Structures are given as C-alpha cells and as structure tokens.
Amino acid sequence: MITWRRVGEPDFPLLRTWLEQPHVARWWNHETSPEAVARDFGPAARGEEPSEDFLALLDGEPLGLLQRSRLDDYPEERDELAAIVPVPSGAVTIDYLIGDPRRAGRGLGTLMISSMIERTWDDLPSAPCVIVPVAAGNPASWNALRKAGLRRVAQGELEPDNPIDGREHYVYRIDRPR
C-alpha cells in the first residue's frame, strides 16, 4: 500500500542518494551536491513554493519521490505545454521517480502514479485533469502513465529535462472522474 508524506529537510540526504542512481540521473539530470538538493527542494519543503514534493512510502518504507504542481502556478511551463495541447485552468502535473533501482521495473511507478492521482482528486477539488509531458525516449515512464489510466493526447516538442535528449515529448492526460 502506498502512503504519502511531504518531503522535509531531513529527507534531503535520501533524495540526494536517489538522484545519484543511474536510472534516476538519466532522466532527472539533477545536481546532487547537498547544496543543490537543499536549493532545489528546500523552498517546497518550507512551503515557500507552490509545488508539492511527496515521498511515496510502500508499507512505510520510502519508495520514491513525486512532485505535484498546478500548471497555472508555473506560467512558462504551462505556456510551453499549451503550444501543443489544451491546458485547462486548474490542470495539475506530476513528475516522479522510483529511488531504489531494485524496485524499478516492477509496476510500482504505476501504483505510485495511480495513488497520487486519486489523492489529487481529493486534495485539489478544482483540478479538472492531470497532464504529464514525458520524453518520447522514456518508454518506462510513459508506459507507467498509460497503465495508471492516462491516455496519450499529444506529441510535440518541449524543452527536455536532460540536454542529451531530443525535444520530442508525449503528453498524457487523465480527467477527473464525473
């Protein structure tokens, strides 16, 4: 069973360890010094930024990280995405990782995504949908989204998270149940 808790500063060493894992570093392309982790995750942990960082816990043990944000809170990201797909007001996006490489590829990403989407409908009653862009070259990620019930709604060019990737992205969406 997946449970969630907000990331706090005591979690930064764990996040750093996860970000250094080759299966994570390939797609997240994140600086991993203690200072960089504190710089990038500190504002959300302290509530100074509108995005939310959550630790996914599987049977109480840390499994992964999931970031959730309203696209309206990040106009540059929203506008870039809106160039290839309609983005309704209140739309939410997520980004995620499984930290331990031994747990990757076992369907836990799908479980994590599904769990957070269900939580999103409760936490954010005005959110009409969740929209997630993913690099076209990352089939593990877009397959996890598909298995979690999201559907591919667009394909287009977006700025990649990792400069070694091309700009081609797939965009997945799930709408709030009626």
Side-chain angles (χ1 to χ4, degrees), residues 60-120:
E61 294 297 318
L63 168 68
L65 170 72
L66 190 139
Q67 296 179 312
R68 179 175 73 180
S69 60
R70 291 178 183 88
L71 284 160
D72 290 338
D73 289 334
Y74 297 90
E76 287 180 17
E77 184 179 336
R78 179 201 60 215
D79 294 349
E80 183 185 25
L81 192 55
I84 60 173
V85 66
V87 178
S89 179
V92 170
T93 192
I94 58 172
D95 202 357
Y96 41 85
L97 64 84
I98 299 290
D100 183 343
R102 296 170 297 176
R103 290 181 155 179
R106 296 182 173 200
L108 296 172
T110 298
L111 183 62
M112 205 167 81
I113 292 164
S114 296
S115 174
M116 181 51 73
I117 288 171
E118 287 303 314
R119 180 177 171 146
T120 296

Side-chain angles (χ1 to χ4, degrees), residues 102-173:
R102 296 170 297 176
R103 290 181 155 179
R106 296 182 173 200
L108 296 172
T110 298
L111 183 62
M112 205 167 81
I113 292 164
S114 296
S115 174
M116 181 51 73
I117 288 171
E118 287 303 314
R119 180 177 171 146
T120 296
W121 303 144
D122 291 335
D123 290 352
L124 305 173
S126 65
C129 61
V130 175
I131 300 174
V132 185
V134 63
N138 189 349
S141 185
W142 46 264
N143 276 321
L145 291 167
R146 181 183 52 78
K147 290 175 184 174
L150 286 84
R151 67 188 190 290
R152 188 181 298 177
V153 295
Q155 181 174 341
E157 293 191 356
L158 298 170
E159 192 63 37
D161 290 332
N162 190 332
I164 68 170
D165 290 316
R167 294 180 50 84
E168 193 68 21
H169 280 71
Y170 299 138
V171 181
Y172 285 79
R173 176 177 170 153

Side-chain angles (χ1 to χ4, degrees), residues 1-5 7 11 14-15 17-19 21 23-24 28 54-66 96-116:
M1 178 175 174
I2 299 282
T3 56
W4 300 94
R5 73 171 171 79
V7 168
D11 300 312
L14 175 62
L15 295 183
T17 299
W18 287 350
L19 291 166
Q21 296 299 313
H23 75 286
V24 173
W28 277 65
F54 294 94
L55 278 186
L57 307 171
L58 179 64
D59 298 326
E61 294 297 318
L63 168 68
L65 170 72
L66 190 139
Y96 41 85
L97 64 84
I98 299 290
D100 183 343
R102 296 170 297 176
R103 290 181 155 179
R106 296 182 173 200
L108 296 172
T110 298
L111 183 62
M112 205 167 81
I113 292 164
S114 296
S115 174
M116 181 51 73

